């Protein structure tokens, strides 16, 4: 599986996976109550800046920070512009800003936490549901696969875009077809690998 995780010795790598997951959930809960006002927009912008600083303080480096923001560029532009039209500038800044902040936090989590650590924490959290028929290990595997698919699909988008540009093809809706084909092929390969291990 492809993952954003990179081994390191910074304080974010040393922080337990459970603590990081809890902070991510708490941040998502807190951001949902941020009002769509100009003052709140400044606060959300400050939060995004603080999270960006964690990339540097946590030893991930400026390159990882730049890659994270580069992946979010279309989200910021398209979502921000759409919200400006429909809900106004203050609400657009707040809604786009808190989504960006949460995505940056999620990337910090996946860059500093191995898949095995995430699976162990998720399985532990779901263990009380076992009497209800929930398989904690299977759910943890599905969630970890979902997390690892984010960078995989991002890589597919980049490759398709580069291939179309090399052929002089204009980018547009036609990009969705090769992207869908690559994604389905990858899903089939993952499914076959899981079935070979008796996890189908």
């Amino acid at each position: 599986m492809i993952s954003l995780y990179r081994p390191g010795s910074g304080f974010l790598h040393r922080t337990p996976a459970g603590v990081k997951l809890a902070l991510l959930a708490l941040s998502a809960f807190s951001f949902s109550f941020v009002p769509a006002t100009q003052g709140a927009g400044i606060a959300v912008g400050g939060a995004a800046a603080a999270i960006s600083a964690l990339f540097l303080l946590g030893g991930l480096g400026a390159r990882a920070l730049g890659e994270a923001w580069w992946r979010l560029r279309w989200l910021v532009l398209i979502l921000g512009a759409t919200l400006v039209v429909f809900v106004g500038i203050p609400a657009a800044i707040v809604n786009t800003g808190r989504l960006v902040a949460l995505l940056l936090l999620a990337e910090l989590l996946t860059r500093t936490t191995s898949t095995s650590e995430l699976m162990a924490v998720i399985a532990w959290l779901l263990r009380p549901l076992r009497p209800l028929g929930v398989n904690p290990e299977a759910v943890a595997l599905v969630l970890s696969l979902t997390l690892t698919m984010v960078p995989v699909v991002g890589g597919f988008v980049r490759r398709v875009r580069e291939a179309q540009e090399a052929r002089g093809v204009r980018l547009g809706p036609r990009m969705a077809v090769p992207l869908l084909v690559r994604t389905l092929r990858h899903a089939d390969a993952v499914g076959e690998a899981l079935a070979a291990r008796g996890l189908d």
Side-chain angles (χ1 to χ4, degrees), residues 1-6 71 110 113-115 118 143-156 158-159 186 190:
M1 291 186 298
I2 298 175
S3 173
L4 287 176
Y5 174 69
R6 296 294 180 272
R71 275 191 287 270
T110 54
T113 312
S114 66
T115 303
L118 284 175
L143 291 176
S144 64
L145 285 173
T146 302
L147 286 173
T148 57
M149 274 300 294
V150 174
V152 170
V153 175
F156 290 162
R158 184 176 64 253
R159 292 174 198 166
H186 179 78
V190 172

Side-chain angles (χ1 to χ4, degrees), residues 70 73-74 157-172 174-175:
W70 183 250
R73 67 192 186 281
W74 294 116
V157 172
R158 184 176 64 253
R159 292 174 198 166
V160 171
R161 185 175 64 246
E162 291 172 351
Q164 289 190 334
E165 290 176 348
R167 295 182 177 89
V169 179
R170 292 183 59 186
L171 301 180
R174 286 176 295 182
M175 181 180 179

Side-chain angles (χ1 to χ4, degrees), residues 34-55:
V34 175
T37 62
Q38 185 173 356
I42 296 174
V44 169
I51 295 168
S52 297
L54 287 176
F55 278 80

Side-chain angles (χ1 to χ4, degrees), residues 8-183:
S9 57
F11 76 93
L12 289 175
H13 285 85
R14 298 194 302 270
T15 303
V19 173
K20 287 183 279 192
L21 274 174
L23 290 174
L24 178 60
L26 181 61
S27 298
F29 181 75
S30 301
F31 282 141
S32 66
F33 290 98
V34 175
T37 62
Q38 185 173 356
I42 296 174
V44 169
I51 295 168
S52 297
L54 287 176
F55 278 80
L56 306 178
L57 297 174
L60 296 175
R63 180 175 180 177
L65 176 60
E67 290 174 351
W69 275 100
W70 183 250
R71 275 191 287 270
L72 295 174
R73 67 192 186 281
W74 294 116
L75 172 69
V76 174
L77 291 174
I78 296 175
L79 178 62
T82 303
L83 290 176
V84 166
V85 172
F86 288 101
V87 297
I89 294 177
I93 293 174
V94 170
N95 290 315
T96 304
R98 59 185 170 190
L99 181 57
V100 166
L102 285 174
L103 289 174
L104 289 174
L105 276 175
E107 178 148 345
L108 277 176
L109 172 68
T110 54
R111 279 187 177 272
T112 60
T113 312
S114 66
T115 303
S116 59
E117 289 179 298
L118 284 175
M119 287 181 61
V121 172
I122 294 171
W124 179 79
L125 290 172
L126 295 175
R127 198 165 296 156
L129 300 179
R130 190 184 292 275
L132 300 178
V134 176
N135 186 335
E137 290 74 21
V139 175
L141 177 60
V142 170
L143 291 176
S144 64
L145 285 173
T146 302
L147 286 173
T148 57
M149 274 300 294
V150 174
V152 170
V153 175
F156 290 162
V157 172
R158 184 176 64 253
R159 292 174 198 166
V160 171
R161 185 175 64 246
E162 291 172 351
Q164 289 190 334
E165 290 176 348
R167 295 182 177 89
V169 179
R170 292 183 59 186
L171 301 180
R174 286 176 295 182
M175 181 180 179
V177 176
L179 176 60
L180 181 61
V181 170
R182 285 175 178 261
T183 303

